[in-house]
Each structure stands twice: as structure tokens, then as C-alpha cells.
Amino acid sequence: MALADNRLASDGRDRPTWFERVPPAYWVGGFLLLVMPSFASDFILFQIFGWTFILGIIALSLMFLAGYGGMVSLAQMTFAGCAGYMVAIFGTSAITDISLGWPWFVAIPLALIVAVLLGTLTGWLAVRTEGIYTIMITLAIAAAFFYFTRQNYVIFNGFSGFNGVLPPQLFGVDWRGSTAFYYLTLFWAALCYFAVLYISRAPFGLALQGIRDNQRRMSALGFNAIAHRVAAYAFAALLAGIGGILLTWQSAQISPGTAGIGAAIDILVVAVIGGLRHPIGAFIGAFIYVILKTFALDALEAIGLAGERFQLLIGLGFLLIVFWSPDGVLGLWARWRESRSRDPLLERGGERP
Amino acid sequence: MNAPARISRRLGASGTANALELRGVSKLFGALVALEDIDITVRPGERRAVLGSNGAGKTTLFNCITGDFRASAGSIRFFGEDISTFPPHERIRRGLRRTYQISLLFAGLSVLDNIYLACVGVSRRRFSFLRPRRDDSLMAAAGELVEMVHLDADRDTLVSNLSYGQQRQLEIAMALSGAPRFILFDEPAAGLSPSERGDLVEILNGLPAHMGYIIIEHDMDVALRVAESVTMMHNGRIFREGKPAEIEQDPEVQALYLGGGDG
Amino acid sequence: MRGVIDRHPFWSAVIFVVAAVLVWMIFAVWPDWLKDLIGRKKVFLNALFNGVTLGGLYFLVASGFTLIFGLMRNVNLAHGSLYLLGGYVGYVAAEVTGLWLLAFPVAFILVAAFGILLQFFVFRRMEGQDLRQTLVTIGISIVMADLMLWIWGGDFYNITPPEWLSGPMTTFFVTTVKRSGDLVFLKYPLVRIVIFAASVVVGIGMWLLLNRTRIGMLIRAGVDDRDMLSATGARIQLVFVGVFAFGAGLAGVAGVVGGTFQSLAPGEDVRFLLASLVVVIVGGMGSIPGAALGALIIGLAEQFGSVYFPTYAVVLTFLIMVAVLAFRPQGLMGRS
Ligand SMILES: Nc1ncnc2c1ncn2[C@@H]1O[C@H](COP(=O)(O)OP(=O)(O)OP(=O)(O)O)[C@@H](O)[C@H]1O
Ligand SMILES: [Mg+2]
């Protein structure tokens, strides 16, 4: 992956207004998402789209690290889970012995700070080694978090975790109502998505991609590669933390399994299926995953297999994708477009001179 | 504090120190001795040429100075400060710059973006989450550098679409970003056409007087036009040091150069 | 050895003192104050033995992992699945034939054959593409986990060792002194001791193979100098396949051992994958002695942890990993 289409400097001169630069597909997609509640059922809003946006945010945090930073972390779900636990602990839950019951404007920022700290620490450990080691170390950290939360009853309430973790009743709205929750998750997903897009072309994101492509060169330009990578972990943990809090609110509970090893791998699957090239891939992957997870049961039973074979389906799909299209669905899409635009008379169409 | 003020403060603090001072620097690659007991002193503003046959250790010398490789032994002082143990980025932030013999550029970025990245690297905005604004000072500085190396027509061209000579020029522009105090040029003229060489000599001679550099150059003609002193290296050691005229006349140098080098 | 002591006098002294205390604790009859402090000697000795034998099991799993990584830079995250597959296959073999010993060769051969398929269809096609290899092996382990769940269900399986191995063995370690003055000796399951001895033999055998034979020299040269591999050409491909098969087969054998020591169930694949990861991270990637040291440390930490601070036993192993990463990122025996 080379530094892709980052023409930021070109934006500097004679750039069109931001209004003109937004491609039409965004307008259509954005409009559809905004009016969705007027025709979609509660189940679709809350279960399908709410979950898609949440998973998408967490997968986006992995996309940021892996796509721009070249660091594949399996600990993103851990940061999400950590933030989820922290809102339960600092805020309110049904486990009144442990939950401190602080107001949301204290509990939520604190939860995010703790998640970012954990992310920074993980990053600090992981960036000391390279490439494939990163996956192993983050996987080990994810496992440690899982076992720790499962065995610790004083803070994390052990095996059963916390239930009754609800979003605050801000502005008198029940934010777990399907429409309100839909807009809540849509808002945060859009915010995270555009933030990642924006940062990818700001000095920080550019430098991160430069370090991914050629760390030695970046050091010779004055960049501290290690610090940049750790900072990328911190930022990704912030994104994951936002996703984690929303996830906790959606199911109103958090337990060790939420951030277990299976869940950590699922995030990787989601991000890879969607494609690590572009932030939108995270949400495409999340949508596919949620649809599969929701409807695979019926589909599998229809063809005579037990519904439990869902994992098999996901695993095979994942294998196919990494085997044939390392860039995920986005890669497939790009290839398809290229093949369409290929000039049948000149076999080598589609390539630029 | 603006950039010039910062430079002059730094210069003031170490005004009397040498720009670069290497003492007993050695570099081993396993059993191979690439550099052996190198002593070099370069005054501020001095322009030095390093000559030597292939494999003499010139590039390795640069790598040790910038910290790309950690020297196996010896000390390196930069304007009086011992930078031997500093990581590369710390050395760069102190005003050291380099170019690479084989261009290391970001192929997926435009010319201007490459230089912008170089400018950001030595500024405080390295970690900025904000995109450059229209009146961004670093972007303006990058634009000036583009003009300086005559790449204005290609400022938005992707680096992968540049000619070889243009890529070499871009390397130089990136080394001039920020406020360099001392620059290491690794064979900037190699592979350039005669007219491009002329441009290069012009750029080098047009640098401000306080900006010293070391240039590795096989071509004596180019070397003599841009440097006031010459260091000859051979087999990882310093072989001769002196004024260009002396070196040129030295019979041993001539024997070595006609015998072993390609220059 | 002398060199190490000269270079790190302080740490050598610390290790020496710890070793001396340990030896005393193992062989002496404990005075009352020590009993009051940390409980009965029998508990301690059992934890020690369990830790060491568990370390042997971890070594069997992790050495294959580290060997494959060291030579080919292939990260096989399906290694845990190979372990579990070996266990199930061995279970079936032992059930059908009634011969416990037969479980080992059957598991070894079948899992090694599976490993060859992996090498052929996955790793060779993705030479040098670390990330893709990792992702593909994750995918394979997801699929394998579900297939094994499909075939063998969610039950626990135990591979029962034969009569002559299943009883306890009286060791020569004194646990306590009876009032009558008789010495009480520790009883320990014979099968665990035998298996531990076998894994030590395997470890020494691997070490000898690597350090004393031509094949081993070829492999080590490949580990040290990647460029040499391409120079030596076709023969090395055979060595690759051989090493991969051996490493995978070892994981299969470990599965039988694990099924005898403990039990086989879904989820054990992840557990042993994690154990291997932690062991090689602690010991140093690609190093067989490192895997041995790491396996011993992790095995002991897990067992002593579960006896003396049960709540945080698992976390203890990860803390060790974090400490190693922080102070010696290349692992205890790894080269930087
Ligand atoms: N990373 C490295 N690892 C091992 N040996 C190296 C490395 N870099 C350089 N060398 C060796 O060190 C010696 C000096 O190399 P160096 O690149 O410094 O020579 P040079 O003077 O720059 O030559 P040239 O004129 O060809 O650029 C050579 O023998 C080279 O093979
Ligand atoms: Mg050179």
C-alpha cells in the first residue's frame, strides 16, 4: 500500500468549496440514512443499523491503525470493552455495590480517558516490536483483559459483569428508544468517520502513513516514529472507546465475553471483509457481518444446516476474502469498476499512463 | 519565536563550536570494517567534498552521522553537542539534514506534499490533527522550496511520475526544509544530465553562507566547484584531507583515483 | 557460562541464591514457621511438579510454533487448532484400538499431513506476506474450530492412559515427617512424570538435531541468513516442508498429551495458541531453548499462581509477558 491519493496540498490552491467537493453518492447516502426512521422498523433501526454503526466505529479504529499505520491490533475490542466497563463502574448500573453512580458528564469522559490510557499503554508495548509481533502481542493483551475481568469481582464483577447500564436521559429523550438510538449511533459513526478521513490528510495522519511506508525516511525528516505510532494507538482507542460505550448501552450490559477473544477476532474479520484501504470499509464490513449474524440462522436452517454453523460461514467468507481480495469488499468493488471501464479494444485500459 | 530567531539563538549558544566533529568513529558490519577510526572536523559554514572509490564507506559515514546506523565506536558532536547516542529524529531536529544516494521519496504523494511532510517533520506541528489552512506558513515554505529546485511546473505531480533527475532535485528540496544548519548530500549529481548538474551547482552555491555541508561526489569537476575543502576516503579510512588544489596534485590520490575509482 | 557471570555479577548472584533457596525448599523438611507462612510442603511440591510438567506440555506446543516461525517467518495462528485436532484424533485412535501409545503416532502423522497441506496451499503461496498469512491462519482456525465442534460436539474428552501408567508414583521427595518419625514421600501421577521426561527427550533431540546434524545446520543457516535460503535453492523447499510437518505433528502430539493431562474441549485451541504466543514472546521468537525457558516460566507461574493467588493466576502470566516486552522486547533468549 503506498500513500494513496492524498492530494492535500493540491487542496491548498484553487480548491472548490467543500460543498462542491462532496461526491453525489454522499448526498444520496446521507439523505437515506437521515430519513431511514420514517420507513424502517424498530428492529432494523436498533438491531441492524444501531449495531452496524457501533461495530463500524470499533472496526474503524482498527482500520485507522492498520490501514494508515500498518499496525494490525487485536486489542481494539479490549479498548471498547474497557470504556464500556468504565461507564458501568463510574456511572450507574444494576450492580449498585460497585457502580459509583457519578453523573454522565463525569463518567463518560472518565471512561474514555481510561480507555485511551489503556490504548496508549498497549501501543507502547506493541510498537516496541514489529509487524506480525504486533498481532500476537495485542492478542495476548486482549486475552489478559478478558481473563482479568472474568476473575476480578471487586471492580469488574467477574463472570456476570454489569447489567442495567443505560444511556442518560438527556433532554428528556429515552436514548435507548429505537429511533433515538439510531440517530445517536448514526451521529457518532458519522463523526468518527469524518474525523478519520480528515485526520488522514492532516500532518498527523500523513506522517503516520509515511512511517508505515518508510519509517527510516520519516526519522530522517525529524519524525519520531515510535511516538507517532503510540499516539495513533491512543487515538484509535478513543474511537474504540466511543464504540464500546454505545455497545454497552445497546445491550444495556457488559461482561467479559463482550471483549473476549472471539469478539476481538470478529472486529478484525469485520475490518478486513470491508477493506482496510478506506474508512468506509469498516462500516461496509460491519453491515455485512450484522446481516449475516442476524439472518444466517434462518438461511442456514433453510438449507438444512444447524444455525450454529454461523461461525463456519463467517470463517469461510473471511478466508475467501483474504485469499482472493486482500482489500476486502472495497477491493472487489474497485476491481469491478476497473474491469467495467476497461476498453475491450485496448486490453490495458484502466491503467493510467 | 520565529525560525530565524531560533536559529540565531542556537548559533549563539554554540557559536564557537565546530559544525561537525567526529572522533574515532568506527562502524562494523559483522566482520566487515566499513569505517575505521574516522576523525573529521567541519567548521560552521564550511563546504566539504568527500571523495572515494565505491565501497569506501562514504554513505556509511553519513548513516552514522545522521543516526540511521549507530556507530560502533567514537563520538559525534554537532555544534558542540554530543549527538552520538541520539536517535535520528533528534539529530534532524537539531538542524542536521541529509539526502539519500538512492532517492527515498513518498511515491504516492505529490511533489509539494513530499516537501510539506519534510517541513512538518522539523516543525512543532508534527502531531497536528488539523489540516493545513490556505495561508499555512509551512505550506508556503514548501512552495518556496519547490520553486528553488525548479519543480514549480510539477508541484502537484505524483512523485512516481517524476523523471529521475526531478526526483534527485526533490530530495534536495526536502533536505533544505525547515532551517538546516548542516546538510549531508549523498551523490546528488549522480545520473544527472550536464544541464541538470549546472542547476545543482547553482543551487548549492546559492545556499546562505552559514549553511555548511558535506557532499559526496565522484565527479571532481562538480566537487571542486561547490566545495572549499576535500576529504579522500579509502577502505573505511581517511586517506587525505586538504584544499582541492592540494588533493588534485597529490600523486597518491591520483594513482588511487585513476586506478580504483570511476570518477 | 563464565562470561555471563562476569558480565552480570548481580543477576548471577540473585539467580544463584534463588536456586539455592528452591533446592532447600524442595529437599528439606519444612520448619513450622515456613508452614505457617505459605502452607504445607505437599501443596508447594505439587504446584512445582504441576508447573514443571505443564511447562513440558507448553514446550511441546510452543516449540513447533517457534521452529516454524524461526525458519520460515510464518506465523501460524492455526497452531492451537492443530493442537486440538491432534487431541481429538488421538482420542479416537486410542478409543478404537484401545492402545494409548498408538494415539501419538496417529496424531503426529495426521496433523503433520495437515500441516503439509497448510504449507503447500497457504504459506507457500503467500511467501513474505506476513499479514495475509496471519489473517488466513486466523480464518482457518475459525473454520477448524467450528468443524471440530460439529464433529465432536461441546463435550469434554479425556484420553485415559493405560493401567500401568495411571497410578500414582511414590517419589523420593519428602513432604513431611510423621509423629512416629517416619518420612512421608510425595506421591505424583506417573503418567505426568513419564510425559514430562518424554518432552525433555524431544527437546534435547530437537536441540541435537539442530546443532549436531547437517540438516540442522541448513535450518539454522536459514534462520540466521534469509538470503542464503534462496541461494540454496530447491533443497530448502523440502526442508521447509519437513520443518512445517514436524512442527505441526508436534502440536498434534501435544494434543494427545493435553488430552491425557487435562481434557479436550472447544476453546482449548485458543488457550493453547495463547499459551504458545506468550511462551515464545517471553522466551524469544525462533529459539528452541527460549521456548523451553518460556514454557517452564509460564507453566510454573500458572500453577503457583493458581495455588497461592488464585484470583489473578492467569493475569500473572500476562504480567510476565508485559515485563519481558518492556525490558527485553526480543524475549529472554531472543537476539535483537
Ligand atoms: N547495511 C549494511 N550491511 C552490511 N554491510 C554494509 C551495509 N551498508 C554498507 N555496507 C558495506 O560497507 C562498505 C561501505 O559501503 P558504503 O555504502 O558506505 O560505500 P560508499 O563509499 O558509499 O560506496 P558508493 O560509492 O558505492 O556509494 C561496503 O563494503 C558495503 O558493502
Ligand atoms: Mg554510497
Side-chain angles (χ1 to χ4, degrees), chain C residues 25-319:
Chain C
M25 283 174 81
I26 292 171
F27 288 103
V29 175
W30 284 16
D32 285 336
W33 60 264
L34 190 57
K35 264 183 230 168
D36 295 341
L37 201 64
I38 58 173
R40 292 191 336 208
K41 184 179 174 186
K42 188 176 162 204
V43 175
F44 171 83
L45 273 188
N46 260 319
L48 183 72
F49 270 64
N50 286 342
V52 171
T53 47
L54 183 63
L57 175 55
Y58 283 167
F59 172 75
L60 283 182
V61 191
S63 56
F65 185 83
T66 206
L67 196 66
I68 290 170
F69 177 83
L71 179 61
M72 292 169 265
R73 290 283 177 278
N74 287 340
V75 173
N76 179 14
L77 290 189
H79 201 73
S81 314
L82 297 181
Y83 164 89
L84 192 57
L85 179 66
Y88 282 135
V89 166
Y91 172 81
V92 171
E95 284 296 296
V96 170
T97 63
L99 291 173
W100 177 69
L101 276 178
L102 200 65
F104 291 92
V106 169
F108 184 87
I109 290 170
L110 277 178
V111 179
F114 188 77
I116 291 177
L117 291 182
L118 270 186
Q119 212 273 332
F120 211 79
F121 287 109
V122 178
F123 290 106
R124 194 174 298 179
R125 288 181 175 213
M126 301 179 180
E127 203 73 64
Q129 296 172 282
D130 297 343
L131 181 59
R132 253 180 101 199
Q133 289 180 356
T134 321
L135 295 179
V136 169
T137 50
I138 287 180
I140 289 174
S141 60
I142 296 176
V143 170
M144 278 180 75
D146 204 60
L147 287 179
M148 289 191 281
L149 180 68
W150 201 355
I151 299 173
W152 284 288
D155 299 334
F156 285 81
Y157 289 87
N158 273 303
I159 305 177
T160 31
E163 275 311 299
W164 54 274
L165 268 178
S166 51
M169 175 185 141
T170 308
T171 61
F172 51 85
F173 297 98
V174 180
T175 51
T176 178
V177 185
K178 276 199 198 145
R179 219 164 271 153
S180 59
D182 294 343
L183 296 179
V184 178
F185 293 96
L186 178 79
K187 287 197 170 59
Y188 198 75
L190 179 60
V191 64
R192 295 191 78 138
I193 295 178
V194 169
I195 285 174
F196 176 71
S199 56
V200 171
V201 170
V202 168
I204 293 175
M206 274 166 82
W207 190 85
L208 286 177
L209 186 82
L210 280 178
N211 289 278
R212 293 282 184 274
T213 65
R214 276 187 51 89
I215 295 265
M217 269 176 51
L218 200 60
I219 295 175
R220 275 189 306 137
V223 173
D224 289 342
D225 182 0
R226 312 278 316 150
D227 297 332
M228 213 214 72
L229 286 183
S230 38
T232 45
R235 263 242 321 271
I236 199 71
Q237 285 298 340
L238 220 61
V239 175
F240 273 5
V241 172
V243 169
F244 211 105
F246 182 74
L250 218 51
V253 167
V256 180
V257 173
T260 312
F261 265 30
Q262 305 170 335
S263 49
L264 303 165
E268 288 294 287
D269 49 350
V270 176
R271 203 191 122 202
F272 276 85
L273 172 66
L274 280 173
S276 317
L277 288 183
V278 175
V279 163
V280 297
I281 289 172
V282 168
M285 285 296 254
S287 151
I288 297 288
L293 181 66
L296 190 65
I297 292 177
I298 298 305
L300 284 174
E302 245 175 56
Q303 289 301 320
F304 275 107
S306 65
V307 171
Y308 292 106
F309 11 76
T311 329
Y312 299 112
V314 194
V315 179
L316 183 66
T317 60
F318 289 104
L319 279 182

Side-chain angles (χ1 to χ4, degrees), chain B residues 127-256:
Chain B
F127 282 95
S128 174
F129 276 50
L130 298 180
R131 287 191 191 177
R133 285 185 315 189
R134 216 169 284 228
D135 56 348
D136 186 86
S137 60
L138 291 177
M139 198 55 98
E144 282 169 23
L145 285 169
V146 171
E147 281 167 31
M148 186 164 174
V149 294
H150 312 302
L151 286 173
D152 341 20
D154 288 299
R155 69 191 259 157
D156 294 329
T157 310
L158 287 190
V159 166
S160 48
N161 296 335
L162 289 185
S163 74
Y164 177 81
Q166 289 173 316
Q167 294 195 3
R168 302 300 297 166
Q169 264 156 333
L170 178 55
E171 272 273 335
I172 290 171
M174 287 168 79
L176 294 175
S177 62
R181 291 200 285 173
F182 198 83
I183 312 178
L184 309 172
F185 294 106
D186 197 343
E187 301 199 21
L192 296 189
S193 69
S195 81
E196 285 171 331
R197 283 181 188 227
D199 289 346
L200 175 70
V201 170
E202 198 180 302
I203 290 170
L204 291 181
N205 285 332
L207 292 179
H210 71 83
M211 225 180 261
Y213 56 75
I214 300 181
I215 178 168
I216 297 178
E217 187 45 69
H218 281 302
D219 184 343
M220 273 282 194
D221 292 339
V222 174
L224 298 184
R225 279 156 70 194
V226 297
E228 59 207 62
S229 56
V230 176
T231 298
M232 272 289 299
M233 285 183 72
H234 187 61
N235 281 343
R237 287 178 154 277
I238 292 192
F239 182 73
R240 279 288 182 283
E241 225 170 13
K243 290 270 168 266
E246 301 163 24
I247 298 288
E248 243 191 334
Q249 303 307 318
D250 191 306
E252 275 186 87
V253 170
Q254 280 180 341
L256 198 71

Side-chain angles (χ1 to χ4, degrees), chain B residues 27-30 32-35 52-63 69 101 186-187 216 218 233 236 262:
Chain B
K27 177 69 194 176
L28 311 175
F29 292 112
L32 178 89
V33 184
L35 291 178
S53 48
N54 290 107
K58 306 178 297 290
T59 300
T60 306
L61 177 69
F62 276 16
N63 283 332
F69 300 157
Q101 186 171 355
D186 197 343
E187 301 199 21
I216 297 178
H218 281 302
M233 285 183 72
D262 60 357

Side-chain angles (χ1 to χ4, degrees), chain A residues 3 6-9 13 197-199 201-204 210 214 216-224 228, chain B residues 63 68 89 92-93 100 104 106 108-109 112-113 116-117 121 125-126 128-132 134 155-156 171:
Chain A
L3 275 173
N6 285 311
R7 314 287 298 270
L8 103 150
R13 300 172 311 152
L197 258 192
Y198 180 85
I199 289 168
R201 290 155 198 200
F204 178 75
N214 194 335
R216 177 173 167 208
R217 184 47 164 143
M218 291 300 280
S219 300
L221 292 179
F223 291 94
N224 181 349
H228 251 89
Chain B
N63 283 332
D68 281 38
H89 61 267
I92 300 299
R93 289 176 196 179
Y100 284 88
L104 285 178
F106 296 99
L109 289 184
L112 186 60
D113 287 350
Y116 176 70
L117 210 48
R125 296 244 295 277
R126 284 182 289 265
S128 174
F129 276 50
L130 298 180
R131 287 191 191 177
R134 216 169 284 228
R155 69 191 259 157
D156 294 329
E171 272 273 335

